[in-house]
Amino acid sequence: MDKCEIRLLEDIPVEEDKLGALQTIVDSIVAVIENNKGGKSILLEGIWGSGKSSVIKLLQKRYRDDRNVAIVIFDAWGHQGDPLRRSFLES
């Protein structure tokens, strides 16, 4: 019986969207940031592996040299059971 080769994919965010699947989301977020005044809180929600971390990486790359935009990442899962407001501000 032939053995089946098993290859596991790494769970790391991409830094380039070669297929363009996430670029529409990134472009939409960029439009919200650039076409509206004031600060923004944007929630990315999706199942595991849907590309949330990759979208963040692409946004960080887009705004890397822009001093007018700061991307702050808050991992709510990492603060389960903690007072969220305090944990957010400490982060």
Side-chain angles (χ1 to χ4, degrees):
M1 176 179 235
D2 292 330
K3 291 186 179 182
C4 178
E5 180 182 338
I6 297 174
R7 290 183 17 197
L8 300 177
L9 299 176
E10 292 183 76
D11 183 26
I12 56 174
V14 298
E15 295 191 19
E16 182 182 353
D17 185 13
K18 294 180 181 178
L19 300 177
L22 301 174
Q23 196 59 50
T24 303
I25 298 168
V26 172
D27 292 343
S28 296
I29 294 171
V30 167
V32 168
I33 292 170
E34 294 183 359
N35 295 324
N36 297 279
K37 295 183 180 187
K40 320 293 181 295
S41 293
I42 300 171
L43 167 73
L44 291 178
E45 183 177 353
I47 63 172
W48 179 86
S50 62
K52 300 177 298 293
S53 297
S54 295
V55 168
I56 294 296
K57 282 276 194 194
L58 294 168
L59 285 167
Q60 287 174 323
K61 183 177 178 180
R62 165 70 172 78
Y63 288 110
R64 178 179 40 228
D65 299 324
D66 189 334
R67 294 182 157 273
N68 295 313
V69 176
I71 297 175
V72 178
I73 301 167
F74 178 72
D75 181 7
W77 287 107
H79 295 282
Q80 280 185 325
D82 298 341
L84 281 180
R85 185 177 304 153
R86 180 178 178 166
S87 299
F88 177 77
L89 293 172
E90 286 176 349
S91 293

